[in-house]
Amino acid sequence: MNIVVTVKQVPDTWAEKKLDAADKTVDRQSVDNVMNEMDEYGVEEALKIKEAHGGEVTVVTMGPAKAVETIRKALSMGADKAVHLSDDALHGSDALATSAALAKVISTLSPDIVITSSEASDARGGVIGALLAERLGLPQLTQARKVTVDPASSTVQIERLADNGYALVEASLPVVVGVVEKINQPRYPSFKGIMAAKKKPLTTLSAADAGLDAAAVGLAGAASTVVTSEPAPPRSSGTIVKDEGDGGTKVAEFLAVQKLI
Amino acid sequence: MAEVLVLVEHADGEPKKVTAELLTLARSFGEPAAVFLGAPGTYAKAKDYLAQFGAAKVYVAESDDIAGYVGAPAAEIVAGLVGTASPAAVLVAATADSREVAARIAAKIDSGLIWDATALTPELVATQGIFGGSTIVTSKVTKGVPVVVVRPNATAPEAAPGTPTEQIVDVVISDAAKGAKIVDRVVEAKSGRPDLTEAQVVVSGGRGLGAAEHFALVEKLADTLGAAVGASRAATDAGWYPHQNQVGQTGKTVSPQLYIAVGISGAIQHRAGMQTSKTIVAVNKDPEAPIFEFADYGLVGDLFNVVPQLTSEIEQRKAG
Ligand SMILES: Cc1cc2nc3c(=O)[nH]c(=O)nc-3n(C[C@H](O)[C@H](O)[C@H](O)COP(=O)(O)OP(=O)(O)OC[C@H]3O[C@@H](n4cnc5c(N)ncnc54)[C@H](O)[C@@H]3O)c2cc1C
Ligand SMILES: Cc1cc2nc3c(=O)[nH]c(=O)nc-3n(C[C@H](O)[C@H](O)[C@H](O)COP(=O)(O)OP(=O)(O)OC[C@H]3O[C@@H](n4cnc5c(N)ncnc54)[C@H](O)[C@@H]3O)c2cc1C
């Protein structure tokens, strides 16, 4: 099984996230950056499939030079090799350009299964999995809380999360899978894994190496643009009351005054 | 006036409230043209509702191929309609399924995509609350026909009764779009409560509840308020409540009139999913809990005393 898993480096979820004042893209300089937490579930699922059915796991990321830290993490969890698409020309890419660039790189790897996660925590588009399926012309098995691969019939079945339950969705390989949190319990990199990661193959590609037209990606190629940006008006704290045995009644009074009941 | 395509959000034909919101929004800058995609026989249930909320036209596409495969058929049909109708924009609700369809439409028609808009001007400048609502940006599509994914509760729906013209769409789905086949749909929890993202009132429970069975307290309060039930990640991780009900960064984003947090500390990742709620009420026994930093009304106390009292007080007020 040839498995590709996408990972994105994002500002740490505990950090105060900001946009860069000049070009209104995410400020990735002044904060700690980590692997998008949901992508840990993607990597874990890739490793589990490999462990069950054999094969190889290739990590793909698009991002600035320091996104290599996120690649290292995936490799130390157990992925076999990585491709890092990195070029200043890619800075500011929208979701359409990002998916086109990732699809271009992924298609050269001829995967059986492409694994993404359902959402990156900085931009929260929740669209890259669907876009990769569209661009690669592969079945879209996104929102998966369970993935079952059957190599004998070359099919994959998932439980796709729905509001009141799930849909059972089936497709023939190759496929794009998108995982949600709670699908598994991502492993921690072991010391051995961290040491081994340093020796694993890593290919770094520029936009030109990947065969991308620089005018079609990055801020230059974006099909949408941020016009203005400002901090939301701060939410100040309101009335805080200590329960003296009549707390529930007090809350009800507040709701009544606010005409909420 | 150019058409504005509105993808109808529905469950087996029963329209969701966000559809009325999108039609209302579409009317502010164009001619609302609803696009109904569903299994054969489902449109009948949506027809009156779409007329009531001002659809000038309805494109009706009913086919087992639409309901039977994930995402791709819907995108194929809407992209086809964009080609023939040359609309001013395509509006889609910010639900997990539809945002994926929206993205595929944008890719097919080579246009820009904006997600999670909370407002849209007639000049098609969208407002997005990013980073969990802590930064507000305005943004604009600069290429093609804008595909805008709009948050539920962004617009107040206004009725505008009329008689839409109906155009039956001849549904031909390519084999390529029939890759991900839905073989079964399994209902695990049928609550009868409003959808979490659409609800006007949400009551959420956290680790403070201590056990799955104590969610009954939250459900009872929710039911007296006609509210949806949410949960923190601590509660869903513990298996006390379904993952689908999780509110926060890796759960749902809600923006109701009233959000009541019960036994929830208010971590930044939880806040990311609820801080744009109009009014926030918190019940927590720890006066230092971060949720009190941004709640409109905070009650420091034991939820096991406060919540039942609140529920019966509301019941009494309703009865009286
Ligand atoms: C606050 C904010 C708002 C934005 N709004 C829009 C918008 O409205 N429209 C628009 O077109 N663009 C928008 N962008 C740009 C867009 O976020 C980026 O293009 C991004 O790379 C793709 O979207 P996402 O991160 O939301 O991905 P998601 O769809 O949420 O990510 C899902 C998965 O895709 C994979 N993935 C995503 N990006 C990469 C990557 N660079 N390398 C490897 N794997 C990746 C990861 O596995 C990730 O978990 C926005 C950016 C920000 C910061
Ligand atoms: C990448 C990432 C993504 C995340 N995404 C989400 C998300 O989508 N949603 C989410 O919610 N969290 C998310 N989290 C987790 C988040 O950081 C918190 O851990 C979580 O929100 C805590 O849930 P809680 O408030 O229920 O529990 P706790 O933080 O343990 O708080 C429980 C509260 O209950 C109070 N309490 C206890 N007993 C009582 C009582 N008898 N009466 C009254 N009050 C009582 C306590 O004082 C405490 O404040 C995410 C974390 C990460 C790292």
mmCIF file of all heavy atoms in Angstrom, chain A residues 9-12 15-34 64 66 91-92 122-123 229, chain B residues 130-131 135:
data_model
loop_
_atom_site.group_PDB
_atom_site.id
_atom_site.type_symbol
_atom_site.label_atom_id
_atom_site.label_comp_id
_atom_site.label_asym_id
_atom_site.label_seq_id
_atom_site.Cartn_x
_atom_site.Cartn_y
_atom_site.Cartn_z
ATOM 1 N N GLN A 9 1.961 22.707 8.997
ATOM 2 C CA GLN A 9 2.455 23.338 10.210
ATOM 3 C C GLN A 9 1.577 24.551 10.507
ATOM 4 O O GLN A 9 1.278 25.336 9.606
ATOM 5 C CB GLN A 9 3.907 23.776 10.038
ATOM 6 C CG GLN A 9 4.529 24.213 11.350
ATOM 7 C CD GLN A 9 5.974 24.631 11.202
ATOM 8 O OE1 GLN A 9 6.305 25.414 10.323
ATOM 9 N NE2 GLN A 9 6.835 24.102 12.041
ATOM 10 N N VAL A 10 1.169 24.679 11.747
ATOM 11 C CA VAL A 10 0.267 25.774 12.131
ATOM 12 C C VAL A 10 0.770 26.418 13.423
ATOM 13 O O VAL A 10 1.525 25.798 14.172
ATOM 14 C CB VAL A 10 -1.178 25.252 12.366
ATOM 15 C CG1 VAL A 10 -1.766 24.657 11.096
ATOM 16 C CG2 VAL A 10 -1.219 24.233 13.500
ATOM 17 N N PRO A 11 0.314 27.654 13.708
ATOM 18 C CA PRO A 11 0.649 28.246 15.004
ATOM 19 C C PRO A 11 0.068 27.382 16.116
ATOM 20 O O PRO A 11 -1.041 26.864 15.983
ATOM 21 C CB PRO A 11 -0.041 29.610 14.963
ATOM 22 C CG PRO A 11 -0.263 29.907 13.524
ATOM 23 C CD PRO A 11 -0.460 28.577 12.859
ATOM 24 N N ASP A 12 0.815 27.235 17.208
ATOM 25 C CA ASP A 12 0.355 26.455 18.344
ATOM 26 C C ASP A 12 -1.035 26.922 18.765
ATOM 27 O O ASP A 12 -1.300 28.115 18.852
ATOM 28 C CB ASP A 12 1.338 26.634 19.505
ATOM 29 C CG ASP A 12 0.979 25.755 20.685
ATOM 30 O OD1 ASP A 12 0.040 24.942 20.551
ATOM 31 O OD2 ASP A 12 1.620 25.877 21.731
ATOM 32 N N ALA A 15 -1.450 29.547 21.350
ATOM 33 C CA ALA A 15 -0.895 30.879 21.098
ATOM 34 C C ALA A 15 -1.980 31.842 20.635
ATOM 35 O O ALA A 15 -2.995 31.448 20.083
ATOM 36 C CB ALA A 15 0.196 30.782 20.037
ATOM 37 N N GLU A 16 -1.737 33.111 20.869
ATOM 38 C CA GLU A 16 -2.610 34.171 20.367
ATOM 39 C C GLU A 16 -2.262 34.343 18.892
ATOM 40 O O GLU A 16 -1.158 34.758 18.543
ATOM 41 C CB GLU A 16 -2.297 35.462 21.136
ATOM 42 C CG GLU A 16 -3.334 36.548 21.018
ATOM 43 C CD GLU A 16 -4.555 36.265 21.886
ATOM 44 O OE1 GLU A 16 -4.380 35.890 23.063
ATOM 45 O OE2 GLU A 16 -5.655 36.406 21.353
ATOM 46 N N LYS A 17 -3.193 33.990 18.003
ATOM 47 C CA LYS A 17 -2.882 34.039 16.569
ATOM 48 C C LYS A 17 -3.177 35.427 15.990
ATOM 49 O O LYS A 17 -4.136 36.071 16.367
ATOM 50 C CB LYS A 17 -3.698 32.980 15.818
ATOM 51 C CG LYS A 17 -3.293 31.554 16.196
ATOM 52 C CD LYS A 17 -3.945 30.530 15.298
ATOM 53 C CE LYS A 17 -5.277 30.038 15.792
ATOM 54 N NZ LYS A 17 -5.233 29.067 16.876
ATOM 55 N N LYS A 18 -2.317 35.851 15.066
ATOM 56 C CA LYS A 18 -2.485 37.167 14.445
ATOM 57 C C LYS A 18 -2.220 37.090 12.945
ATOM 58 O O LYS A 18 -1.554 36.177 12.468
ATOM 59 C CB LYS A 18 -1.466 38.148 15.036
ATOM 60 C CG LYS A 18 -1.729 38.580 16.460
ATOM 61 C CD LYS A 18 -0.889 39.829 16.757
ATOM 62 C CE LYS A 18 -0.718 40.059 18.248
ATOM 63 N NZ LYS A 18 0.084 38.988 18.892
ATOM 64 N N LEU A 19 -2.692 38.124 12.255
ATOM 65 C CA LEU A 19 -2.319 38.272 10.850
ATOM 66 C C LEU A 19 -1.154 39.245 10.775
ATOM 67 O O LEU A 19 -1.048 40.169 11.578
ATOM 68 C CB LEU A 19 -3.486 38.821 10.012
ATOM 69 C CG LEU A 19 -4.687 37.901 9.789
ATOM 70 C CD1 LEU A 19 -5.690 38.554 8.850
ATOM 71 C CD2 LEU A 19 -4.260 36.550 9.221
ATOM 72 N N ASP A 20 -0.295 39.023 9.779
ATOM 73 C CA ASP A 20 0.799 39.946 9.520
ATOM 74 C C ASP A 20 0.198 41.273 9.055
ATOM 75 O O ASP A 20 -0.681 41.297 8.185
ATOM 76 C CB ASP A 20 1.687 39.344 8.429
ATOM 77 C CG ASP A 20 2.885 40.215 8.119
ATOM 78 O OD1 ASP A 20 2.727 41.176 7.347
ATOM 79 O OD2 ASP A 20 3.952 39.921 8.660
ATOM 80 N N ALA A 21 0.671 42.389 9.641
ATOM 81 C CA ALA A 21 0.054 43.689 9.335
ATOM 82 C C ALA A 21 0.232 44.060 7.863
ATOM 83 O O ALA A 21 -0.633 44.681 7.260
ATOM 84 C CB ALA A 21 0.654 44.771 10.228
ATOM 85 N N ALA A 22 1.361 43.663 7.283
ATOM 86 C CA ALA A 22 1.653 44.098 5.914
ATOM 87 C C ALA A 22 0.845 43.332 4.866
ATOM 88 O O ALA A 22 0.092 43.925 4.100
ATOM 89 C CB ALA A 22 3.146 43.960 5.640
ATOM 90 N N ASP A 23 0.974 42.004 4.837
ATOM 91 C CA ASP A 23 0.320 41.297 3.722
ATOM 92 C C ASP A 23 -0.888 40.475 4.158
ATOM 93 O O ASP A 23 -1.457 39.728 3.368
ATOM 94 C CB ASP A 23 1.340 40.457 2.931
ATOM 95 C CG ASP A 23 1.813 39.230 3.704
ATOM 96 O OD1 ASP A 23 1.402 39.061 4.872
ATOM 97 O OD2 ASP A 23 2.598 38.452 3.138
ATOM 98 N N LYS A 24 -1.284 40.617 5.439
ATOM 99 C CA LYS A 24 -2.507 39.980 5.930
ATOM 100 C C LYS A 24 -2.517 38.457 5.747
ATOM 101 O O LYS A 24 -3.528 37.853 5.431
ATOM 102 C CB LYS A 24 -3.747 40.608 5.298
ATOM 103 C CG LYS A 24 -3.831 42.115 5.561
ATOM 104 C CD LYS A 24 -5.233 42.645 5.384
ATOM 105 C CE LYS A 24 -5.350 44.107 5.764
ATOM 106 N NZ LYS A 24 -4.527 44.994 4.917
ATOM 107 N N THR A 25 -1.338 37.861 5.888
ATOM 108 C CA THR A 25 -1.288 36.399 5.958
ATOM 109 C C THR A 25 -0.961 36.035 7.402
ATOM 110 O O THR A 25 -0.607 36.912 8.200
ATOM 111 C CB THR A 25 -0.217 35.818 5.013
ATOM 112 O OG1 THR A 25 1.058 36.321 5.429
ATOM 113 C CG2 THR A 25 -0.478 36.231 3.566
ATOM 114 N N VAL A 26 -1.086 34.757 7.740
ATOM 115 C CA VAL A 26 -0.866 34.344 9.131
ATOM 116 C C VAL A 26 0.556 34.672 9.566
ATOM 117 O O VAL A 26 1.516 34.366 8.856
ATOM 118 C CB VAL A 26 -1.110 32.833 9.305
ATOM 119 C CG1 VAL A 26 -0.822 32.411 10.739
ATOM 120 C CG2 VAL A 26 -2.526 32.477 8.925
ATOM 121 N N ASP A 27 0.666 35.298 10.729
ATOM 122 C CA ASP A 27 1.968 35.582 11.305
ATOM 123 C C ASP A 27 2.527 34.272 11.857
ATOM 124 O O ASP A 27 2.060 33.776 12.881
ATOM 125 C CB ASP A 27 1.798 36.622 12.421
ATOM 126 C CG ASP A 27 3.117 36.957 13.099
ATOM 127 O OD1 ASP A 27 4.117 36.268 12.818
ATOM 128 O OD2 ASP A 27 3.133 37.890 13.907
ATOM 129 N N ARG A 28 3.478 33.688 11.148
ATOM 130 C CA ARG A 28 4.058 32.415 11.572
ATOM 131 C C ARG A 28 5.428 32.617 12.206
ATOM 132 O O ARG A 28 6.104 31.669 12.569
ATOM 133 C CB ARG A 28 4.164 31.450 10.379
ATOM 134 C CG ARG A 28 2.805 31.118 9.755
ATOM 135 C CD ARG A 28 2.887 30.174 8.573
ATOM 136 N NE ARG A 28 1.612 30.152 7.867
ATOM 137 C CZ ARG A 28 0.558 29.403 8.216
ATOM 138 N NH1 ARG A 28 0.635 28.578 9.229
ATOM 139 N NH2 ARG A 28 -0.571 29.466 7.535
ATOM 140 N N GLN A 29 5.853 33.898 12.311
ATOM 141 C CA GLN A 29 7.177 34.205 12.839
ATOM 142 C C GLN A 29 7.168 34.323 14.362
ATOM 143 O O GLN A 29 8.044 33.811 15.032
ATOM 144 C CB GLN A 29 7.695 35.527 12.238
ATOM 145 C CG GLN A 29 7.875 35.502 10.723
ATOM 146 C CD GLN A 29 8.809 34.402 10.267
ATOM 147 O OE1 GLN A 29 9.808 34.127 10.921
ATOM 148 N NE2 GLN A 29 8.482 33.745 9.168
ATOM 149 N N SER A 30 6.168 35.030 14.895
ATOM 150 C CA SER A 30 6.222 35.404 16.308
ATOM 151 C C SER A 30 5.601 34.354 17.227
ATOM 152 O O SER A 30 5.458 34.583 18.406
ATOM 153 C CB SER A 30 5.512 36.744 16.509
ATOM 154 O OG SER A 30 4.129 36.596 16.260
ATOM 155 N N VAL A 31 5.198 33.231 16.680
ATOM 156 C CA VAL A 31 4.577 32.209 17.529
ATOM 157 C C VAL A 31 5.300 30.868 17.376
ATOM 158 O O VAL A 31 6.050 30.660 16.426
ATOM 159 C CB VAL A 31 3.092 31.980 17.129
ATOM 160 C CG1 VAL A 31 2.254 33.193 17.465
ATOM 161 C CG2 VAL A 31 2.967 31.638 15.654
ATOM 162 N N ASP A 32 5.052 29.976 18.345
ATOM 163 C CA ASP A 32 5.537 28.602 18.203
ATOM 164 C C ASP A 32 4.672 27.921 17.159
ATOM 165 O O ASP A 32 3.467 28.124 17.115
ATOM 166 C CB ASP A 32 5.375 27.852 19.526
ATOM 167 C CG ASP A 32 6.427 28.283 20.526
ATOM 168 O OD1 ASP A 32 7.420 28.893 20.099
ATOM 169 O OD2 ASP A 32 6.228 28.017 21.729
ATOM 170 N N ASN A 33 5.297 27.118 16.330
ATOM 171 C CA ASN A 33 4.539 26.397 15.316
ATOM 172 C C ASN A 33 4.603 24.911 15.594
ATOM 173 O O ASN A 33 5.617 24.399 16.054
ATOM 174 C CB ASN A 33 5.095 26.710 13.927
ATOM 175 C CG ASN A 33 4.841 28.157 13.540
ATOM 176 O OD1 ASN A 33 3.739 28.518 13.164
ATOM 177 N ND2 ASN A 33 5.859 28.995 13.670
ATOM 178 N N VAL A 34 3.522 24.231 15.324
ATOM 179 C CA VAL A 34 3.437 22.795 15.595
ATOM 180 C C VAL A 34 2.746 22.108 14.418
ATOM 181 O O VAL A 34 2.176 22.762 13.553
ATOM 182 C CB VAL A 34 2.604 22.521 16.871
ATOM 183 C CG1 VAL A 34 3.260 23.129 18.098
ATOM 184 C CG2 VAL A 34 1.181 23.044 16.714
ATOM 185 N N PRO A 64 6.739 27.089 4.657
ATOM 186 C CA PRO A 64 8.058 27.712 4.721
ATOM 187 C C PRO A 64 9.123 26.736 5.222
ATOM 188 O O PRO A 64 8.808 25.632 5.667
ATOM 189 C CB PRO A 64 7.864 28.867 5.702
ATOM 190 C CG PRO A 64 6.627 28.554 6.465
ATOM 191 C CD PRO A 64 5.776 27.716 5.565
ATOM 192 N N LYS A 66 10.782 26.349 7.846
ATOM 193 C CA LYS A 66 10.703 25.720 9.167
ATOM 194 C C LYS A 66 9.597 24.674 9.286
ATOM 195 O O LYS A 66 9.514 23.979 10.303
ATOM 196 C CB LYS A 66 10.620 26.766 10.270
ATOM 197 C CG LYS A 66 9.384 27.585 10.324
ATOM 198 C CD LYS A 66 9.502 28.477 11.560
ATOM 199 C CE LYS A 66 8.419 29.542 11.552
ATOM 200 N NZ LYS A 66 8.625 30.515 12.609
ATOM 201 N N HIS A 91 3.907 31.533 -0.789
ATOM 202 C CA HIS A 91 3.406 32.272 0.375
ATOM 203 C C HIS A 91 2.095 32.978 0.031
ATOM 204 O O HIS A 91 2.017 33.682 -0.968
ATOM 205 C CB HIS A 91 4.473 33.283 0.809
ATOM 206 C CG HIS A 91 4.024 34.215 1.888
ATOM 207 N ND1 HIS A 91 3.947 33.828 3.192
ATOM 208 C CD2 HIS A 91 3.601 35.498 1.840
ATOM 209 C CE1 HIS A 91 3.506 34.848 3.919
ATOM 210 N NE2 HIS A 91 3.292 35.879 3.122
ATOM 211 N N GLY A 92 1.074 32.769 0.853
ATOM 212 C CA GLY A 92 -0.207 33.439 0.615
ATOM 213 C C GLY A 92 -1.154 32.697 -0.309
ATOM 214 O O GLY A 92 -2.175 33.251 -0.710
ATOM 215 N N ASP A 122 -5.478 26.674 11.878
ATOM 216 C CA ASP A 122 -5.276 28.114 11.683
ATOM 217 C C ASP A 122 -6.339 28.722 10.766
ATOM 218 O O ASP A 122 -6.955 29.723 11.086
ATOM 219 C CB ASP A 122 -3.859 28.429 11.180
ATOM 220 C CG ASP A 122 -3.425 27.621 9.968
ATOM 221 O OD1 ASP A 122 -4.166 26.704 9.550
ATOM 222 O OD2 ASP A 122 -2.340 27.899 9.433
ATOM 223 N N ALA A 123 -6.577 28.093 9.628
ATOM 224 C CA ALA A 123 -7.517 28.666 8.667
ATOM 225 C C ALA A 123 -8.884 28.007 8.742
ATOM 226 O O ALA A 123 -9.890 28.599 8.373
ATOM 227 C CB ALA A 123 -6.958 28.538 7.258
ATOM 228 N N SER A 229 -8.519 44.010 8.109
ATOM 229 C CA SER A 229 -8.364 43.090 9.227
ATOM 230 C C SER A 229 -8.257 43.895 10.506
ATOM 231 O O SER A 229 -7.514 44.867 10.572
ATOM 232 C CB SER A 229 -7.092 42.269 8.996
ATOM 233 O OG SER A 229 -6.575 41.808 10.221
ATOM 234 N N ILE B 130 -12.042 35.283 12.153
ATOM 235 C CA ILE B 130 -11.021 34.233 12.084
ATOM 236 C C ILE B 130 -10.350 34.039 13.443
ATOM 237 O O ILE B 130 -10.545 34.834 14.349
ATOM 238 C CB ILE B 130 -9.971 34.529 10.983
ATOM 239 C CG1 ILE B 130 -9.213 35.818 11.301
ATOM 240 C CG2 ILE B 130 -10.656 34.630 9.618
ATOM 241 C CD1 ILE B 130 -7.984 36.014 10.430
ATOM 242 N N PHE B 131 -9.553 33.014 13.559
ATOM 243 C CA PHE B 131 -8.878 32.660 14.801
ATOM 244 C C PHE B 131 -9.903 32.589 15.937
ATOM 245 O O PHE B 131 -9.755 33.228 16.981
ATOM 246 C CB PHE B 131 -7.750 33.650 15.130
ATOM 247 C CG PHE B 131 -6.740 33.805 14.028
ATOM 248 C CD1 PHE B 131 -6.124 35.023 13.795
ATOM 249 C CD2 PHE B 131 -6.416 32.734 13.210
ATOM 250 C CE1 PHE B 131 -5.193 35.160 12.769
ATOM 251 C CE2 PHE B 131 -5.491 32.866 12.183
ATOM 252 C CZ PHE B 131 -4.883 34.083 11.959
ATOM 253 N N THR B 135 -10.256 37.856 15.492
ATOM 254 C CA THR B 135 -9.891 38.845 14.480
ATOM 255 C C THR B 135 -11.007 38.865 13.436
ATOM 256 O O THR B 135 -11.530 37.819 13.067
ATOM 257 C CB THR B 135 -8.550 38.463 13.800
ATOM 258 O OG1 THR B 135 -7.534 38.406 14.790
ATOM 259 C CG2 THR B 135 -8.156 39.478 12.735
#
